[in-house]
Every structure is written in C-alpha cells, then in structure tokens.
Amino acid sequence: MDSTPVSKNFIQHIIDKDLENNVYGQRVHTRFPPEPNGYLHIGHAKSICLNFGLKEQYNGLCNLRFDDTNPTKEEVEYVESIEEDVKWLGFQWDALFYASDYFEQLYDYAEAIIKKGKAYVCDLCPEEIREYRGTLTEPGKDSPYRNRSIEENLDLFRRMRSGEFEEGSKVLRAKIDMASPNLNMRDPVMYRILYAHHHRTGDDWCIYPMYDYAHPISDAIENITHSICTVEFEDHRPLYDWFLQILEFPAPPKQVEFARLELTHTVMSKRKLRKLVEDGIVDSWDDPRMPTISGLRRRGYTPSAIREFCDRIGVAKSRSEVDVALLEFCIREDLKLKEPRIMAVLDPLKVVITNYPEGEVEYLEVENNQENLEMGTRQVPFSREIYIEREDFMEDPPKKFFRLSPGNEVRLKNAYFIKCEEVIKDETTGEIIELRCTYDPETKSGSGFTGRKVKGTLHWVSAEHAVKAEVRLYDYLFLENEVEDDNKEMTFNEDSLQVLKECYIEPSVKGAVPGSRYQFFRHGYFCTDIKESKEDHLVFNRIVSLRSSYN
C-alpha cells in the first residue's frame, strides 16, 4: 500500500484548522451558487468539483443554490441546464435552493439594518452614486440623503416595495464608510427598484437585492460553513463579513477565495459567450467548439476526464494560465483503453484491386483495441473495391514518402500488400478519381509472411460495406489569448470548424447511438453527435486529435 502522504490545498488547510478549533463543530457545508443567466463553462466545472469534492472529502454537505436576484437576465432554460451539468459531472446536491426563496427574509433583514441606523434610502441616480463614491486615491463624499431618520428610511423603503416610485429613482444603501480605502465599503447599494418579471416569483416584487447583500445572508440562512468563491471577490469579503456581523449571525460562514481557471485559446466570460450565440458565430450554447459543459459533453468529453483535469490543475490563490493541451491530454488518457479503434476514411480515394475476385468478400478478425485485448475482436469486411485517404497517394512523391505511389507497395492495415499499377484521372479536370492496384494473397496480416517488407501501412474501408457519414473537425474558437483583453475584439478562428460530408467508415458503426465514442485510426477520437446524429445519417464530432502537445 502506498503510504505517500496526500498533499492538501490551502482551502483544505483552512477547513482542517476550523475543525481542529471546533469553529463550526465538526461540520463542513459548502454550496455551488451559479447565477442562471447562461450556461456553465469549464471554469464552473472547477468550482463544482471543488465544492462537491470538499463535501465528499469531509463527509459534509453541499447545496446547489441559484443566485436569481437579477430577473432581467435569468431564465428557466439556464436553471435546467445547470442542474443537468452538475448531475452529468457526477455530483448530487444535498439541497436545492434559490436566492428568491429568501426574498421575504432578505427584506426583513434589510429593515433590521435600517432600524440599526446602518442603511438609508438614497435618491442619487447611478451616475451620481459613482461620482460621489470617489476613486482609489480620493475618498468619497456623503450622499445628501445619508442622514435621513430611521423612520423616514423605513417609510421610503416600504413604499419602494409597494411600487410607489419609478424604476431607478431610489436605492437602499448600507451606511458604512465613504472614506474606506476599499471602494466596496463606500455605502454599497443593497436594493434597487426593478419592474421586471421574475422566473419564479412573477410580479410579486419590484425591488431586488444586490448580490453582495443577498449572498452572505443566503449562506448564513443555509448554515454554510465555508463560502468558496473566486479571487475577484476577495475585495468584497469585508462587505460579506460586515452584513453578517451587523445582523449578528452566530458562527457566520467564512468566505475563502481561490484563483479562477484561465485556459489558453478559451473565453470564460458569460457575456462574451452569450455574444457568440446571439451573433450566430456558433450554433448554440452547446456548440462543440464552446467551452461550456454542455458543449464539451456534445463534443464527446467525459465527466471523468473533466474531473481529472480539475484535479490536476489543483486549487491555488495566485492567478495562472492553464494550457488547454492538458484538458486534451486528460480526455485522451480516459478514452485510450475504453473505446474501439476503427478505420474511417475522411477524404476518400477509390482503389480497385484488379486481381481480387469480383463479388468476393473476406471477413478479417480485428482486435477492437490493441492496448486492451479484453475488448475482444470484430469482423471487418475486405473486398475488391476499397477507399483510402486521398493524402495517402502521390503520383510524383518526394524521396521519403512511404505511402502509396505508382509502382510502390504498401500494406493495408490488417489485410494485404497492394501495389499501384494504374492511375485513372477525370478527363476534364485531371483530378485523380481512381487507382488500380494488385494485391499479393500471400501477405495477409497474421499469416507469418516474411518474404519482403514495406514501410507504409494504410487504413482503408470496403467501398461496398462502408457507412457514409458526416464528420466535423473542430479547432480552437479563438487565436491565442487575444480574447482575454476586454479592449480588443475577439479574434475568431475562421478554421474552427471543417465539415466533411463524404466520409466512409467501417460497418461496425452501423446503428451507433448518439454519444458513442470511437478512435479513428490516425485521425483521433470521435463521438456521434447527441443532437443531430441519426441512424440513417451518422454525424461524428472529433473530440480531440491523437497527437498531444502536452508535456
């Protein structure tokens, strides 16, 4: 048994210390709190794996809570997609909540803060609030409405709730410190007036709480012990703590920040991803080029590969960029011993083996996976007419071209040696449309033939038996990392999708159900598309190529 100690990340060390000091008894209770305003992406997968992973490691609890405090951007579609993504990754929440579950409690807590003299109704418009807030080097100045009486503030806040005022005309602000070096503490807005239909509460409310107010109180209501969030919320932690202290929650939750995932060639901004969808640059949120969890699922990624990726990148406080090649490495490692290795010709060139008997079909026994013999074998038909890859033939090859050329001999994988005897071209275009070859029946694979050797081995499919399919080859959506600069336009990769309509695949894929995965020799790992692949029209997405640049 390996006795090597397992290293822990800094969050686990914080939890261990809290357990040792009995801060929350022996409880560990986390939550994953997405806003349902878009589909989750690979960065969210890191947070999901972290929060639910801590639950598993400490035999604790983890809630799924939707932060639905902004009704203008939230939809039931996004709620349903998030639930599906969490389950698909292999996790199950202990309780499901919405921030909107707490609207009445949040309102009551806001009144309690007003009664403590720590919140006031402000009539400044958003532009004036920004102007009064000051800068990083200059303190802010008090709102002219900051010293309203408790009674007046309660009256105005209640009238805000009853819908007496125009949208944007008033807000409720916490009364903290307009000279604080932390801009988040300069009397932040707690509530705003918003006449918008909410996906759960309908038109019951016309005032909605801000995230910085609703989030810590929601955590406290749910008895969360450790509120794990990304590092951009570190400056908000004093405000998180302030609300919990002013309301005197016993053993309040502890906010802990970690560095969010930054991946090369990848956009993690929901705003930018939404723009791709709205502008029609991609088909949908689950376009296989998208870094969304649903996009990765449709492309053919597995939950175990994504969890392994999240485990490998670890949890740190400092920002770092991860090479997307690591994600690709994880899916290759996950699939290499699981999926059958079959032959598929993506750019077909017809080959007629002139000395092979017409009408004869030979079934070759082929291992499903040469690295995992437990996967057994299958029968692959071989006949007089086959397809090979067009790139595997050159009429006038360079010196070290070891594939097929006039007069040259190669091996057909799992079959025979063939030699090119004649090249047939289209009379009008001059394009090569067919090769005529001969085969040597003594050279069958597995026969022990040792008479001569060839340097090239080609994959192929029987023309009569092959299944015609559509194949989609994907590349990165964006060119290297220019996309992360908000001041630049996203540099779209025009070659991010290549659709091949005339592909031929060996007949073992007949009847492949959506989501079936294969390794195509030389081409990579592929998956039948879960949305568009049909029994009479198979569509394959390339998950990842065979070659890895990850070291």
Side-chain angles (χ1 to χ4, degrees):
M1 182 176 177
D2 186 2
S3 60
T4 305
V6 178
S7 62
K8 293 188 174 184
N9 61 55
F10 78 97
I11 296 178
Q12 290 168 315
H13 285 301
I14 290 172
I15 294 175
D16 288 345
K17 188 173 181 180
D18 287 341
L19 291 172
E20 181 183 339
N21 295 331
N22 211 34
V23 176
Y24 304 104
Q26 293 303 297
R27 293 189 310 113
V28 174
H29 196 160
T30 61
R31 84 289 171 269
F32 175 60
E35 182 181 0
N37 63 347
Y39 282 64
L40 299 184
H41 54 61
I42 186 67
H44 294 109
K46 178 180 178 180
S47 181
I48 292 170
C49 291
L50 175 56
N51 279 287
F52 284 93
L54 290 170
K55 162 197 165 173
E56 295 173 355
Q57 292 155 23
Y58 290 95
N59 194 27
L61 299 171
C62 184
N63 297 349
L64 173 61
R65 181 175 72 240
F66 291 100
D67 170 37
D68 57 343
T69 58
N70 189 358
T72 59
K73 295 183 178 180
E74 296 154 3
E75 297 179 19
V76 173
E77 173 191 353
Y78 301 140
V79 170
E80 293 173 347
S81 73
I82 290 168
E83 290 183 12
E84 181 182 5
D85 288 346
V86 174
K87 289 178 181 177
W88 179 75
L89 282 172
F91 299 108
Q92 181 58 54
W93 49 86
D94 292 286
L96 175 64
F97 296 113
Y98 296 79
S100 55
D101 292 335
Y102 311 129
F103 277 176
E104 195 67 49
Q105 287 169 277
L106 291 166
Y107 177 85
D108 290 342
Y109 282 126
E111 282 207 358
I113 295 173
I114 292 173
K115 290 173 183 177
K116 288 175 178 281
K118 293 296 184 180
Y120 62 97
V121 173
C122 182
D123 295 1
L124 294 178
C125 69
E127 293 76 17
E128 290 171 326
I129 290 176
R130 281 193 292 271
E131 181 184 336
Y132 274 60
R133 182 169 288 138
T135 66
L136 290 172
T137 56
E138 296 178 356
K141 58 183 180 180
D142 290 353
S143 164
Y145 309 99
R146 196 173 196 265
N147 294 317
R148 278 173 163 158
S149 68
I150 290 174
E151 292 74 18
E152 185 181 5
N153 284 317
L154 279 174
D155 176 63
L156 289 171
F157 188 49
R158 289 166 182 169
R159 291 164 63 191
M160 283 172 61
R161 175 177 179 170
S162 66
E164 287 191 31
F165 305 117
E166 290 184 8
E167 185 172 301
S169 62
K170 296 183 189 299
V171 294
L172 181 68
R173 297 176 66 179
K175 186 187 289 188
I176 307 179
D177 180 6
M178 290 303 293
S180 172
N182 185 336
L183 269 63
N184 295 299
M185 301 298 283
R186 295 182 185 177
D187 291 9
V189 173
M190 295 168 57
Y191 271 88
R192 76 281 202 199
I193 301 171
L194 190 61
Y195 293 99
H197 186 82
H198 190 278
H199 71 102
R200 293 187 74 241
T201 61
D203 298 318
D204 291 349
W205 292 87
C206 62
I207 57 171
Y208 290 93
M210 303 299 290
Y211 174 86
D212 279 340
Y213 171 69
H215 192 74
I217 298 174
S218 299
D219 283 347
I221 291 171
E222 294 174 22
N223 291 315
I224 301 302
T225 58
H226 299 84
S227 181
I228 315 298
C229 60
T230 46
V231 75
E232 62 264 29
F233 289 99
E234 186 171 19
D235 288 343
H236 296 247
R237 194 198 318 152
L239 182 56
Y240 181 99
D241 294 338
W242 187 87
F243 281 120
L244 297 178
Q245 289 165 4
I246 205 73
L247 291 168
E248 301 179 15
F249 281 103
K254 179 178 292 184
Q255 178 174 302
V256 183
E257 308 88 13
F258 69 98
R260 68 178 183 177
L261 174 62
E262 296 188 30
L263 203 60
T264 59
H265 296 286
T266 309
V267 168
M268 295 294 188
S269 163
K270 274 189 187 177
R271 177 180 60 82
K272 291 180 179 179
L273 294 176
R274 184 182 294 105
K275 182 172 172 55
L276 293 175
V277 176
E278 292 173 349
D279 291 353
I281 293 175
V282 296
D283 293 335
S284 58
W285 284 94
D286 68 351
D287 186 299
R289 292 169 290 177
M290 291 279 273
T292 55
I293 296 175
S294 57
L296 291 167
R297 177 166 62 244
R298 184 176 170 193
R299 183 153 170 175
Y301 273 79
T302 61
S304 52
I306 294 175
R307 291 197 306 269
E308 173 66 16
F309 169 72
C310 292
D311 187 51
R312 282 175 175 265
I313 61 179
V315 179
K317 191 84 173 178
S318 58
R319 171 182 174 178
S320 62
E321 188 177 71
V322 178
D323 192 334
V324 70
L326 174 57
L327 178 61
E328 296 169 347
F329 170 83
C330 289
I331 187 63
R332 289 189 190 95
E333 288 294 296
D334 189 45
L335 297 182
K336 70 178 182 181
L337 299 181
K338 293 180 180 178
E339 309 303 341
R341 300 179 179 181
I342 66 173
M343 293 188 286
V345 175
L346 307 190
D347 185 15
L349 175 60
K350 192 171 186 179
V351 173
V352 177
I353 304 171
T354 56
N355 63 333
Y356 194 87
E358 288 192 43
E360 183 170 320
V361 179
E362 187 175 355
Y363 286 90
L364 309 173
E365 187 168 1
V366 176
E367 293 164 343
N368 284 319
N369 189 319
Q370 289 80 3
E371 291 187 63
N372 183 4
L373 300 183
E374 292 182 1
M375 290 185 64
T377 61
R378 67 186 184 281
Q379 299 291 312
V380 177
F382 180 80
S383 61
R384 176 183 171 92
E385 295 184 1
I386 63 173
Y387 291 119
I388 65 170
E389 294 288 353
R390 186 168 293 276
E391 68 175 13
D392 285 344
F393 175 80
M394 290 188 71
E395 191 172 17
D396 185 18
K399 187 174 182 181
K400 291 190 177 181
F401 183 79
F402 298 125
R403 287 172 265 180
L404 195 59
S405 58
N408 187 38
E409 195 171 40
V410 297
R411 173 175 287 286
L412 295 177
K413 188 170 182 62
N414 302 309
Y416 300 95
F417 287 9
I418 62 169
K419 180 189 289 187
C420 179
E421 308 287 358
E422 186 180 0
V423 179
I424 308 299
K425 298 182 179 180
D426 183 284
E427 293 182 358
T428 304
T429 65
E431 179 187 4
I432 298 172
I433 56 174
E434 185 180 298
L435 303 178
R436 293 185 180 169
C437 300
T438 55
Y439 89 115
D440 183 347
E442 302 297 321
T443 59
K444 186 176 180 179
S445 288
S447 66
F449 175 79
T450 57
R452 61 190 182 279
K453 293 184 178 181
V454 292
K455 291 185 176 180
T457 299
L458 310 184
H459 68 278
W460 54 276
V461 294
S462 168
E464 179 185 351
H465 304 90
V467 175
K468 187 177 179 182
E470 178 179 321
V471 171
R472 298 169 181 176
L473 305 179
Y474 296 101
D475 200 352
Y476 305 126
L477 261 180
F478 301 102
L479 303 179
E480 182 67 30
N481 295 336
E482 294 177 9
V483 295
E484 289 304 322
D485 187 341
D486 283 330
N487 298 318
K488 287 185 179 179
E489 296 232 352
M490 294 186 287
T491 310
F492 180 67
N493 178 8
E494 299 290 345
D495 299 319
S496 61
L497 172 61
Q498 183 182 4
V499 179
L500 307 175
K501 301 274 192 181
E502 302 281 333
C503 303
Y504 292 93
I505 306 173
E506 65 170 79
S508 62
V509 300
K510 278 183 180 177
V513 298
S516 301
R517 298 180 184 86
Y518 304 88
Q519 184 192 122
F520 291 177
F521 282 111
R522 287 174 47 197
H523 294 299
Y525 293 95
F526 290 76
C527 177
T528 45
D529 190 273
I530 59 177
K531 279 179 71 173
E532 298 180 17
S533 188
K534 305 279 191 298
E535 187 175 350
D536 59 348
H537 179 65
L538 293 177
V539 177
F540 288 88
N541 300 326
R542 184 161 69 183
I543 308 169
V544 67
S545 63
L546 290 179
R547 292 185 178 180
S548 173
S549 61
Y550 179 70
N551 184 358

